[in-house]
Amino acid sequence: MDEKKFRETEKKYKDLKDKHEGGEISTDQMKAELKRLMVQDETGTYWMLGGKTGKWYRHDGGQW
């Protein structure tokens, strides 16, 4: 797994979270950015950070 890609995405998440909490971006804008930051690992599995939790979620082909 490319850990660098995941760490970079976590940093971007923290920046987005700060902007959202500071009122700079809306909830919809944050959701759209999180979708854009989705990561695909070497096996083709998609991963996405939860907007409220900051935890990684794995897409199993049908749901997160």
Side-chain angles (χ1 to χ4, degrees), residues 14-34:
K14 289 176 186 172
D15 292 340
L16 284 172
K17 185 79 168 166
D18 289 344
K19 287 180 180 179
H20 182 254
E21 290 176 353
E24 294 178 50
I25 62 172
S26 70
T27 299
D28 288 341
Q29 288 171 313
M30 181 157 175
K31 286 179 183 178
E33 285 298 311
L34 287 173

Side-chain angles (χ1 to χ4, degrees), residues 2-61:
D2 185 358
E3 290 184 32
K4 181 180 177 186
K5 190 179 349 178
F6 284 84
R7 284 194 308 271
E8 289 172 358
T9 302
E10 288 171 346
K11 182 183 181 319
K12 291 176 184 176
Y13 166 82
K14 289 176 186 172
D15 292 340
L16 284 172
K17 185 79 168 166
D18 289 344
K19 287 180 180 179
H20 182 254
E21 290 176 353
E24 294 178 50
I25 62 172
S26 70
T27 299
D28 288 341
Q29 288 171 313
M30 181 157 175
K31 286 179 183 178
E33 285 298 311
L34 287 173
K35 285 181 183 178
R36 192 179 67 74
L37 292 175
M38 196 179 324
V39 175
Q40 186 176 23
D41 67 19
E42 66 279 351
T43 67
T45 302
Y46 285 98
W47 296 82
M48 186 172 164
L49 284 165
K52 293 180 183 177
T53 65
K55 293 181 181 180
W56 284 104
Y57 292 91
R58 180 181 63 86
H59 195 268
D60 67 4

